[in-house]
Amino acid sequence: MILVGQYDSPYVRRVAVSLRVLEFEYEHDTRSVFADFDAMRATNPLGRIPSLVLDDAEVLIDSAAILDWLDQTVGPERALLPAAGAERRRALRLIALATGAIDKVGAAAYERLIRPAALRWPEWVLRCRTQGAGAIAALAAEPWSPGKTLDQAEITTACMLRYVTMADPELLPPGRHPTLEALSARCEALPEFEATWPAEYAVPRNP
Ligand SMILES: N[C@@H](CCC(=O)N[C@@H](CS)C(=O)NCC(=O)O)C(=O)O
């Protein structure tokens, strides 16, 4: 199968880490969702990443749908999302906070970095960053217990933390959220995270 999208996207990275944790083999299509927009639209009509092209050429789009397919394929014993009950509700809540933070910090980053300076809307940037910071603070207040098997809430939150550190580092100054720093350090030391480490946030920039 082929994973489409670069690892500076936390949505692509959470799929890549999950593929590796669950021991799936994949090829990596590293074309850019910006520079190779038309080719990306041929894979996903939305022109977004990630997509996962299966061996029979079926194309899965959207990280949540891809992760759902991975969990269904490996079965409930190995699935990264708990199957039911309070554990599942908690995991879904944490994942909603982490993906919501990605969306809000990402929206602010697109506005600050990509949109031409004369067209930027500072109040919108402030609102998005406030929402992202709120979700991150809520995640920081959660108990993150090391020692148990890695799950999707941890994978997605760790990918979100690396993304925010690249896209908007002022939201995560060292020492602000020690619980999340510990989670990030624990995850980033794992081989599945090391192999997908994004060195920089590669979006086009307008002065
Ligand atoms: N809900 C989608 C979000 C994917 C998403 O936002 N991808 C970004 C990269 S992080 C993207 O493709 N951005 C380009 C665009 O939207 O034009 C998912 O979970 O896969």
Side-chain angles (χ1 to χ4, degrees):
M1 60 185 90
I2 305 169
L3 174 62
V4 183
Q6 298 177 2
Y7 295 149
D8 64 334
S9 159
Y11 289 115
V12 174
R13 194 179 183 210
R14 75 175 182 146
V15 170
V17 169
S18 302
L19 282 164
R20 288 165 183 270
V21 168
L22 296 174
E23 298 172 310
F24 286 90
E25 299 208 342
Y26 66 94
E27 291 171 34
H28 190 196
D29 179 341
T30 59
R31 285 176 300 169
S32 161
V33 76
F34 292 102
D36 305 302
F37 186 51
D38 289 340
M40 288 303 191
R41 287 173 54 245
T43 305
N44 174 358
L46 275 170
R48 301 187 97 181
I49 50 172
S51 302
L52 188 70
V53 184
L54 303 184
D55 292 342
D56 66 1
E58 183 184 357
V59 181
L60 305 183
I61 59 167
D62 198 291
S63 62
I66 298 170
L67 295 174
D68 182 65
W69 180 80
L70 295 183
D71 275 358
Q72 298 258 318
T73 303
V74 298
E77 291 296 314
R78 297 180 66 212
L80 295 170
L81 195 60
E87 270 194 349
R88 183 176 175 89
R89 289 198 303 280
R90 175 173 186 269
L92 289 173
R93 176 174 181 277
L94 300 183
I95 291 167
L97 287 167
T99 55
I102 293 168
D103 289 341
K104 289 299 170 180
V105 172
Y110 281 22
E111 182 82 15
R112 287 184 299 113
L113 303 174
I114 303 176
R115 188 182 284 257
L119 302 176
R120 285 176 196 150
W121 182 8
E123 291 82 2
W124 177 249
V125 172
L126 178 62
R127 179 187 165 89
C128 289
R129 294 178 84 229
T130 300
Q131 290 169 289
I136 293 169
L139 287 165
E142 291 287 330
W144 296 97
S145 36
K148 65 174 185 49
T149 321
L150 192 68
D151 65 20
Q152 191 52 245
E154 292 170 317
I155 293 172
T156 299
T157 302
C159 291
M160 178 276 288
L161 293 169
R162 175 63 195 149
Y163 172 71
V164 174
T165 302
M166 291 188 298
D168 199 344
E170 284 177 20
L171 290 178
L172 280 179
R176 177 167 295 174
H177 296 304
T179 52
L180 296 181
E181 283 173 24
L183 171 71
S184 176
R186 176 159 59 87
C187 289
E188 296 293 355
L190 299 172
E192 295 86 356
F193 279 82
E194 282 183 346
T196 60
W197 169 261
E200 58 166 358
Y201 187 38
V203 293
R205 287 161 199 256
N206 260 305

